[in-house]
Amino acid sequence: MDVNAAVAAAAAIAGVLTGVIAVLAFRWSERDQKRPTRSSLHTDPMLPPGVDTVLSVLRSSAVVLDEADAVVKASSAAYALGLVRGGKLSVEPMLQMARDTRRDGEIRQVELDLPRRGTGRGEALAVSARVAPLGSRLVLLLVEDLTEARRIEAVRRDFVANVSHELKTPVGALSLLSEAVMDASEDPEAVLRFAGRMQIEATRLTNLVQELIDLSRVQNDDPLEDAEPVRVDELVAEAIDRCRHQAGAKQITMASGGTAELHVWGNRGQLAAALGNLVENAVNYSPARTRVGIAARQVTAPGGDHIEVAVTDQGIGISEKDKERVFERFYRVDPARSRATGGTGLGLAIVKHVAASHGGEVTVWSSEGQGSTFTLRLPEAGAARDRAHQHPDLDDEAGASPDPSPYEPLPAPEVLP
């Protein structure tokens, strides 16, 4: 009996200890689950009702500070910008604003340039910080990233300045030439000479205005609204025809080749303008009696097949520092040559926008003194191939030769006299 009683008592004590341990473990687990983490939003019961929901839908980075400057709540964007580190607001000017607002209750706003996290290049992050009281003890800090807006504004400002400068040059020249014509009214030869210069400046002004309109159109319009399957060889033929006169005057040979029966999907007018600009640049920057080649091929890529149209010249080439900027608006590798040929500096910018809006890209390879190759890369219109087989009007003439190798000139390239 005594032995059984002792065993029963020991079992009871063990059961009680097990229950106590289970309760403690449960409480510890609950406290551990409620502990805030860096990845989640830190919400304290001190926040007024509904504030957490409102702050979670704001686009701005949000930080709530208590009376001890400790972070009560911080959005993930605030962590990403580096505003909060170790549970504290890490930007001293913002922290001082929060203290001043807590003291007098006034709303404050300031624009700051912050160092960008993770880069050693000294790039600044432009932000706008606004501090307001939240209840009697809390302070709300809202931070908006203005970096992209400032970049766009700088681009717009530079664009306006460049347009003003480019328009001023031919307009000023026309004004001076018209005065010269009036002064030389008694000299027929001088009048003819000045009138010829006026025609050149008027043509340059017309081209500039037209390319500004084209650039605005490709930036604002959606080319896929009026998209259609476009034959690449037709685009190449149109680009060659566009530059026939300039190439003939310099005795430049233009040859087309590559794979036939290729199609891309997009706006025919924009694609023709883009390829035409590449070919025109190649002709303008090539010495006399050289060769310009245009070749197309199909390239297999993980995201789908692409069509590459390469325009190669034997011109002056592009330096390494200029290759990074050739697609900027109004940027010219050789300003003197551009003005001599009537270039506006907008052609390659138009090509870049057309390629991007069609889901493609344009790249450049160049070596100074050896020439350049600009490659327009666009997604292939797979459905257009099926349509070409169903509709004879999209096919070439009967008896067409098989496709040659990529970038290999056709047996009988078109040669301009």
Side-chain angles (χ1 to χ4, degrees), residues 222-261:
D222 182 5
L224 301 184
E225 288 184 358
D226 301 321
E228 59 179 336
V230 182
R231 282 181 48 169
V232 176
D233 51 0
E234 291 182 356
L235 295 177
V236 172
E238 187 173 335
I240 291 176
D241 187 64
R242 168 178 168 176
C243 303
R244 188 181 302 275
H245 177 72
Q246 297 96 310
K250 299 172 68 175
Q251 298 181 0
I252 291 177
T253 301
M254 290 199 295
S256 60
T259 306
E261 289 295 325

Side-chain angles (χ1 to χ4, degrees), residues 195-348:
R197 289 295 306 167
M198 291 177 68
Q199 285 185 334
I200 294 174
E201 296 299 333
T203 301
R204 178 177 298 169
L205 182 60
T206 301
N207 292 339
L208 176 59
V209 172
Q210 184 59 51
E211 292 205 342
L212 285 172
I213 294 173
D214 293 341
L215 180 61
S216 176
R217 182 178 295 116
V218 300
Q219 285 180 317
N220 297 328
D221 293 351
D222 182 5
L224 301 184
E225 288 184 358
D226 301 321
E228 59 179 336
V230 182
R231 282 181 48 169
V232 176
D233 51 0
E234 291 182 356
L235 295 177
V236 172
E238 187 173 335
I240 291 176
D241 187 64
R242 168 178 168 176
C243 303
R244 188 181 302 275
H245 177 72
Q246 297 96 310
K250 299 172 68 175
Q251 298 181 0
I252 291 177
T253 301
M254 290 199 295
S256 60
T259 306
E261 289 295 325
L262 297 179
H263 295 78
V264 292
W265 185 266
N267 184 292
R268 179 185 176 84
Q270 291 189 14
L271 293 173
L275 186 57
N277 285 344
L278 291 180
V279 176
E280 186 175 11
N281 267 11
V283 172
N284 289 338
Y285 284 90
S286 293
R289 294 177 294 278
T290 56
R291 178 186 176 94
V292 172
I294 308 99
R297 68 171 181 174
Q298 182 184 23
V299 178
T300 302
D305 292 346
H306 284 72
I307 303 301
E308 288 187 351
V309 184
V311 179
T312 304
D313 63 60
Q314 299 172 317
I316 61 175
I318 306 172
S319 65
E320 287 295 328
K321 65 180 182 67
D322 288 326
K323 279 195 288 188
E324 299 179 358
R325 302 191 58 190
V326 290
F327 296 104
E328 294 180 11
R329 290 171 291 191
F330 295 110
Y331 186 79
R332 298 180 176 92
V333 175
D334 187 351
R337 183 185 293 264
S338 294
R339 293 192 181 280
T341 59
T344 63
L346 292 174
L348 292 181

Side-chain angles (χ1 to χ4, degrees), residues 73-408:
K73 172 184 172 63
S75 65
S76 58
Y79 284 108
L81 290 178
L83 304 179
V84 179
R85 298 177 186 175
K88 296 289 184 179
L89 186 63
S90 61
V91 183
E92 184 60 32
M94 296 182 186
L95 185 59
Q96 187 59 47
M97 288 173 57
R99 291 168 180 169
D100 295 340
T101 296
R102 187 185 301 110
R103 185 180 62 253
D104 55 25
E106 293 186 5
I107 298 175
R108 289 175 169 81
Q109 184 169 351
V110 67
E111 292 188 2
L112 301 171
D113 291 332
L114 307 179
R116 192 185 295 269
R117 295 182 62 188
T119 61
R121 295 175 292 178
E123 296 181 354
L125 192 69
V127 299
S128 174
R130 185 178 180 87
V131 180
L134 185 63
S136 58
R137 293 183 297 170
L138 302 181
V139 173
L140 171 64
L141 171 67
L142 296 177
V143 180
E144 185 177 358
D145 187 356
L146 302 178
T147 307
E148 184 65 16
R150 283 192 178 182
R151 187 192 67 81
I152 294 175
E153 181 59 32
V155 170
R156 182 182 295 111
R157 185 169 54 251
D158 292 343
F159 179 70
V160 172
N162 287 329
V163 168
S164 301
H165 174 73
E166 296 295 333
L167 288 174
K168 183 178 179 180
T169 301
V171 169
L174 286 172
S175 177
L176 292 175
L177 288 170
S178 64
E179 293 179 3
V181 169
M182 294 178 64
D183 294 338
S185 58
E186 302 298 330
D187 187 351
E189 293 185 0
V191 170
L192 289 176
R193 184 172 66 255
F194 291 140
R197 289 295 306 167
M198 291 177 68
Q199 285 185 334
I200 294 174
E201 296 299 333
T203 301
R204 178 177 298 169
L205 182 60
T206 301
N207 292 339
L208 176 59
V209 172
Q210 184 59 51
E211 292 205 342
L212 285 172
I213 294 173
D214 293 341
L215 180 61
S216 176
R217 182 178 295 116
V218 300
Q219 285 180 317
N220 297 328
D221 293 351
D222 182 5
L224 301 184
E225 288 184 358
D226 301 321
E228 59 179 336
V230 182
R231 282 181 48 169
V232 176
D233 51 0
E234 291 182 356
L235 295 177
V236 172
E238 187 173 335
I240 291 176
D241 187 64
R242 168 178 168 176
C243 303
R244 188 181 302 275
H245 177 72
Q246 297 96 310
K250 299 172 68 175
Q251 298 181 0
I252 291 177
T253 301
M254 290 199 295
S256 60
T259 306
E261 289 295 325
L262 297 179
H263 295 78
V264 292
W265 185 266
N267 184 292
R268 179 185 176 84
Q270 291 189 14
L271 293 173
L275 186 57
N277 285 344
L278 291 180
V279 176
E280 186 175 11
N281 267 11
V283 172
N284 289 338
Y285 284 90
S286 293
R289 294 177 294 278
T290 56
R291 178 186 176 94
V292 172
I294 308 99
R297 68 171 181 174
Q298 182 184 23
V299 178
T300 302
D305 292 346
H306 284 72
I307 303 301
E308 288 187 351
V309 184
V311 179
T312 304
D313 63 60
Q314 299 172 317
I316 61 175
I318 306 172
S319 65
E320 287 295 328
K321 65 180 182 67
D322 288 326
K323 279 195 288 188
E324 299 179 358
R325 302 191 58 190
V326 290
F327 296 104
E328 294 180 11
R329 290 171 291 191
F330 295 110
Y331 186 79
R332 298 180 176 92
V333 175
D334 187 351
R337 183 185 293 264
S338 294
R339 293 192 181 280
T341 59
T344 63
L346 292 174
L348 292 181
I350 293 175
V351 176
K352 178 182 177 181
H353 282 287
V354 170
S357 62
H358 283 76
E361 62 178 349
V362 58
T363 58
V364 57
W365 173 92
S366 184
S367 179
E368 289 186 274
Q370 298 183 20
S372 306
T373 297
F374 285 84
T375 303
L376 184 62
R377 194 167 189 260
L378 300 167
E380 183 189 24
R385 282 193 165 190
D386 298 334
R387 182 169 175 263
H389 291 298
Q390 296 172 5
H391 298 276
D393 57 317
L394 292 177
D395 292 334
D396 277 343
E397 295 180 1
S401 59
D403 293 345
S405 301
Y407 295 131
E408 180 183 347

Side-chain angles (χ1 to χ4, degrees), residues 23-37:
V23 170
L24 291 176
F26 179 76
R27 295 294 186 186
W28 183 269
S29 176
E30 279 191 328
R31 189 176 68 173
D32 206 39
Q33 290 178 358
K34 293 179 179 179
R35 183 177 299 167
T37 61

